Amino acid sequence: MAVAELSFGTNPYLKEVDGYHLLNLKDVLSVADREEFGVLAANSIRPEIVRGVLRAAFDLNSPVIIQVAESQVGYALKGWFSGDEAQRLNSFSEFVAEEVARLYKEKGYMVPVALHLDHLQKQDELAFHALKAGFTSVELDFSKQPTEDRAEAVELNIQHCSKIIPELHKHGVTIEVEEGEIGEAAVQQAMSEEEIRAQFTRVEHALRLVEGTDPDALAVFVGSAHGWYLRKPIVSFRRIREISVALSEKGFSVPIVLHGGTGLSYEAFHKAIGAGARKFNYATALADIFLRTIASEPSGKGKELIDRMTEEEKRQAQEKGRKSRGPRYVLGQFAEEINALGDFVLKAAEDAVYAHVREMMSQALGSAEKAHLYEGYGRSPLG
């Protein structure tokens, strides 16, 4: 079932912003595909990150995707908002809509903003909670299956997705699907180049997943990974192009998503865009900019707090028998203490995120001054 047009008529859950609503991936990425630029998909796990990203988008007249992952609904949003996961998703959606409305009132123009639930893997019902919370897009990440046969894994992926997609598409909510598990950069460090390349998404598997799910965006594994790269990443821009061309030849208009944007060079972003990638997921860098800014505040209280967060996360990791992943994974647990550092410190963190995102939009992705290409959005090129 093709996705319905997203409107107040098809989707009663949309958050209204003075007659506007947040857009879905099809709305945002179709223009990016036609004009050949990339759109930042920013994992926004603190209010300061949301504000910094949206400020940059409005100031640069750029489209943007605000997203939060299934796992982050637990470790980050739980301390930011009260209630169960469904309530936290709704509160997050309302917060984003309020920030968009505030900037729209301040600037006098709207920019295209999508609201995306990223990496849904464990709780199918969360997709429907996201729909009712006003999210406009969901990634169904069922690439990891109990088989080493990739063709079989694709079929299992299709079966799982097919239980969810029709209801979301009926309401104009777009779907991103994933072929090939996009793992952690730390894991890749222990792998040889041949082992990494052997796991690249194959063209025939990408085609089959798209044929079987009718998605609105496709994430593929081509060598990029989540987290900071511990060595130069092996990214196959050729494979992105091969998949993009094959989809086009089959009549599919499905933009490619590149996960693992943190640590890639501007040249890598440019090559990925040239090969056909349009949505670029960006998480670790934004969280680390926030944490570094907190840690560097003059009184030393911020550093002491981040140190305690780091130790607590290590303790929890040891207790669960996994590797330590860093202080951001206990953000929610320490939300009140972070907030207690005061507005000056938190505004500095927002400003640091803002400056970095401006650079990404203008220099890496080419999305600056593109909002006016969306009918009814953006300021005119003449100001």
Side-chain angles (χ1 to χ4, degrees), residues 35-141:
E35 301 293 334
E36 298 187 354
F37 63 86
V39 180
L40 184 73
N43 282 68
S44 303
I45 55 178
R46 278 286 306 182
E48 297 78 19
I49 296 177
V50 173
R51 292 189 181 110
V53 171
L54 286 175
R55 274 176 55 204
F58 271 85
D59 283 356
L60 287 182
N61 202 30
S62 169
V64 71
I65 299 161
I66 299 292
Q67 61 186 34
V68 63
E70 176 188 55
S71 62
Q72 294 165 346
V73 176
Y75 76 72
L77 298 196
K78 187 174 183 179
W80 180 356
F81 300 112
S82 60
D84 60 20
E85 290 174 325
Q87 291 170 317
R88 292 198 292 273
L89 282 174
N90 190 66
S91 296
F92 182 81
S93 178
E94 288 182 345
F95 179 83
V96 171
E98 288 167 2
E99 288 301 310
V100 171
R102 181 179 61 81
L103 286 161
Y104 169 61
K105 183 177 180 180
E106 177 185 318
K107 302 291 183 181
Y109 57 85
M110 184 66 73
V111 300
V113 180
L115 183 58
H116 181 72
L117 177 63
D118 196 35
H119 283 298
L120 189 144
Q121 297 174 313
K122 299 177 181 178
Q123 303 178 73
D124 289 6
E125 67 275 12
L126 210 60
F128 303 106
H129 289 325
L131 161 67
K132 293 178 180 179
F135 278 68
T136 57
S137 179
V138 174
E139 184 201 4
L140 302 179
D141 177 10

Side-chain angles (χ1 to χ4, degrees), residues 26-339:
K26 185 176 181 180
D27 296 330
V28 171
L29 297 181
S30 60
V31 175
D33 203 30
R34 185 187 74 220
E35 301 293 334
E36 298 187 354
F37 63 86
V39 180
L40 184 73
N43 282 68
S44 303
I45 55 178
R46 278 286 306 182
E48 297 78 19
I49 296 177
V50 173
R51 292 189 181 110
V53 171
L54 286 175
R55 274 176 55 204
F58 271 85
D59 283 356
L60 287 182
N61 202 30
S62 169
V64 71
I65 299 161
I66 299 292
Q67 61 186 34
V68 63
E70 176 188 55
S71 62
Q72 294 165 346
V73 176
Y75 76 72
L77 298 196
K78 187 174 183 179
W80 180 356
F81 300 112
S82 60
D84 60 20
E85 290 174 325
Q87 291 170 317
R88 292 198 292 273
L89 282 174
N90 190 66
S91 296
F92 182 81
S93 178
E94 288 182 345
F95 179 83
V96 171
E98 288 167 2
E99 288 301 310
V100 171
R102 181 179 61 81
L103 286 161
Y104 169 61
K105 183 177 180 180
E106 177 185 318
K107 302 291 183 181
Y109 57 85
M110 184 66 73
V111 300
V113 180
L115 183 58
H116 181 72
L117 177 63
D118 196 35
H119 283 298
L120 189 144
Q121 297 174 313
K122 299 177 181 178
Q123 303 178 73
D124 289 6
E125 67 275 12
L126 210 60
F128 303 106
H129 289 325
L131 161 67
K132 293 178 180 179
F135 278 68
T136 57
S137 179
V138 174
E139 184 201 4
L140 302 179
D141 177 10
F142 304 137
S143 56
K144 187 174 183 179
Q145 295 289 343
T147 176
E148 294 184 4
D149 184 321
R150 289 310 308 166
E152 183 182 3
V154 168
E155 295 304 321
L156 293 171
N157 193 341
I158 291 169
Q159 291 176 27
H160 200 159
C161 288
S162 298
K163 301 173 184 177
I164 300 172
I165 291 177
E167 181 65 19
L168 299 188
H169 266 181
K170 181 173 71 176
H171 291 290
V173 172
T174 46
I175 299 297
E176 174 186 333
V177 295
E178 181 171 318
E179 202 304 303
E181 187 181 357
I182 301 162
E184 300 290 330
V187 174
Q188 282 193 10
Q189 185 188 24
M191 299 170 66
S192 68
E193 180 174 342
E194 291 72 22
E195 288 173 326
I196 293 172
R197 290 186 179 277
Q199 294 184 13
F200 284 176
T201 293
R202 292 167 60 174
V203 174
E204 61 267 31
H205 294 159
L207 282 172
R208 175 62 191 131
L209 183 58
V210 169
E211 288 170 348
T213 58
D214 193 21
D216 309 289
L218 171 68
V220 293
F221 177 65
V222 291
S224 58
H226 299 124
W228 289 104
Y229 296 103
L230 303 177
R231 66 181 185 187
K232 185 176 181 180
I234 302 160
V235 180
S236 178
F237 305 106
R238 178 178 179 179
R239 184 57 53 87
I240 296 173
R241 170 54 64 189
E242 289 170 347
I243 294 170
S244 182
V245 168
L247 288 171
S248 181
E249 288 177 346
K250 290 288 187 178
F252 295 112
S253 180
V254 181
I256 302 297
V257 180
L258 190 69
H259 287 237
T262 290
L264 293 181
S265 66
Y266 291 163
E267 180 185 14
F269 282 107
H270 299 161
K271 286 182 177 179
I273 292 168
R278 297 292 176 256
K279 176 177 180 274
F280 291 84
N281 282 28
Y282 208 66
T284 304
L286 299 179
D288 283 0
I289 287 168
F290 172 81
L291 292 167
R292 284 199 305 270
T293 307
I294 295 299
S296 63
E297 63 87 27
S299 75
K301 292 179 181 178
K303 184 179 184 306
E304 185 273 334
L305 175 57
I306 299 301
D307 287 345
R308 282 196 291 110
M309 290 171 63
T310 302
E311 290 305 311
E312 174 59 20
E313 196 280 329
K314 285 180 180 178
R315 185 194 67 76
Q316 292 181 19
Q318 186 175 26
E319 191 176 85
K320 295 176 181 178
R322 59 166 173 77
K323 289 185 177 180
S324 176
R325 299 178 296 179
R328 72 179 168 120
Y329 289 91
V330 292
L331 264 178
Q333 187 177 334
F334 287 82
E336 288 188 10
E337 291 183 70
I338 292 172
N339 293 340

